[in-house]
Amino acid sequence: MKLVFAGTPEVAVPALDALIASDRHEVAAVVTRPDAPAGRGRRLVASPVAQRAADAGIEVLKPVRPRDEEFLARLREIAPDCCPVVAYGALLPKVALDVPARGWVNLHFSLLPAWRGAAPVQHSILAGDEMTGASTFQIEEGLDSGPVYGVITEPVRPTDTSGDLLTRLAFAGAGLLAATMDGIEDGTLHAVPQPADGVTLAPKITVEDAHVDWAAPALRVDRVVRGCTPAPGAWTVFRGERLKLVQVGLLPDRTDLGPGELDAGKNHVHVGTGSHAVELVWVQPQGKKPMRAADWARGVRIAHGESVGAPVVG
């Protein structure tokens, strides 16, 4: 088939690579979000998908909105058979969905109908799921509600961050998307409607969602830290400033610390929660790079009885 691939972030690149490598399909063009400011200088930078496509000599389309007439006209000129999608980042209007003869097929990082929305991997970790996966489905106007072509499963490991899990799903899902394109092309694969039961939603994780509540059980604190790493980054407050929490460990045998209460030794920093304590392993103070929590504690000289989680000053 002639394909137009739509995707934007790094997580979409493995799927694009798999389709470029296929000897059964031609990636005629790529659709991605417009260049965005990045880095300290806030210079405009092309998306990872745009950079990979350019390196491969593939035409790159960067519409501000997918309903822009100039973009739609070019899409019609290319006349793709199918448009595979991975984390494109914009809603596709019906006028665009109608262009390819075999529609738009999305690779979504959950076992649909679970976790429909922008942040399925983060919500899977926050919910304590032991198993997740990826699905390919036909895009329709509803939110991730179209019929499903195929799925793969992936266990959620006890120490997985959303970054860890998303990386594994991106590579495993790339194979699923390529196989889905093969099955659509040769007529052996047919989409099956999603069940009405089991629908859960996964809206974008906000900075406030990543604010750790020390009165919550330790297991919840651990899930928030893992689910919000690397973005937007779990955080708390120490001496009126934000402190990002990069990694914590569970301490089920320590129950003598109140919620947010700190205990810093030569080689450890423990914090109380609503159940048992957790150990701060890696933290990132405001304006600094990530560091070992014990090194941070020695630098700030934590006093007996100090705590984290007080309101931000100002």
Side-chain angles (χ1 to χ4, degrees):
M1 295 189 295
K2 182 190 287 187
L3 307 177
V4 169
F5 179 88
T8 298
E10 189 66 40
V11 72
V13 172
L16 175 58
D17 282 339
L19 294 173
I20 291 172
S22 171
D23 58 5
R24 294 181 58 172
H25 312 292
E26 172 202 356
V27 181
V30 156
V31 184
T32 191
R33 299 296 291 147
D35 297 358
R40 289 187 176 181
R42 309 306 289 164
R43 291 171 48 246
L44 289 178
V45 176
S47 74
V49 163
Q51 294 178 41
R52 177 67 187 94
D55 289 344
I58 296 170
E59 179 181 357
V60 179
L61 308 174
K62 303 178 183 179
V64 175
R65 290 172 298 276
R67 64 175 63 252
D68 290 349
E69 191 50 50
E70 184 179 348
F71 163 68
L72 292 171
R74 180 60 187 137
L75 190 64
R76 293 186 190 105
E77 284 177 2
I78 296 169
D81 297 301
C82 189
C83 293
V85 184
V86 185
Y88 169 48
L91 290 175
L92 295 160
K94 188 174 187 303
V95 66
L97 294 178
D98 289 344
V99 173
R102 302 197 185 191
W104 298 66
V105 176
N106 192 37
L107 171 65
H108 183 76
F109 298 116
S110 81
L111 297 174
L112 291 169
W115 305 128
R116 294 176 179 173
V121 173
Q122 292 92 327
H123 280 277
S124 183
I125 290 176
L126 289 170
D129 291 349
E130 294 182 354
M131 185 69 68
T132 187
S135 308
T136 49
F137 71 95
Q138 191 86 36
I139 295 180
E140 55 184 31
E141 289 190 273
L143 176 64
D144 299 336
S145 59
V148 172
Y149 284 105
V151 299
I152 55 166
T153 58
E154 179 68 33
V156 182
R157 299 169 186 169
T159 58
D160 270 341
T161 65
S162 62
D164 297 332
L165 185 53
L166 191 55
T167 296
R168 295 204 306 277
L169 287 171
F171 282 94
L176 173 63
L177 185 60
T180 299
M181 292 297 105
D182 292 349
I184 291 172
E185 189 267 335
D186 63 23
T188 60
L189 197 57
H190 303 282
V192 177
Q194 294 183 34
D197 295 333
V199 175
T200 50
L201 300 180
K204 182 179 178 180
I205 300 291
T206 67
V207 172
E208 195 49 45
D209 292 332
H211 189 179
V212 169
D213 175 10
W214 295 106
L219 204 57
R220 174 64 183 174
V221 172
D222 174 62
R223 289 175 184 171
V224 170
V225 172
R226 292 188 296 111
C228 295
T229 299
W235 60 280
T236 188
V237 178
F238 178 73
R239 295 179 186 169
E241 291 190 342
R242 288 194 182 189
L243 177 69
K244 188 175 285 189
L245 306 172
V246 181
Q247 184 184 355
V248 301
L250 299 173
L251 299 170
D253 295 331
R254 181 149 199 197
T255 58
D256 60 316
L257 295 174
E261 184 180 352
L262 287 164
D263 172 46
K266 184 177 180 181
N267 295 306
H268 75 263
V269 183
H270 296 172
V271 189
T273 74
S275 57
H276 56 78
V278 298
E279 179 178 11
L280 301 187
V281 182
W282 283 86
V283 299
Q284 184 175 2
Q286 203 162 313
K288 297 186 178 179
K289 293 181 178 180
M291 63 178 67
R292 287 275 179 186
D295 296 336
W296 163 77
R298 282 193 294 272
V300 298
R301 297 185 179 181
I302 294 172
H304 179 73
E306 276 198 285
S307 63
V308 288
V312 177
V313 174

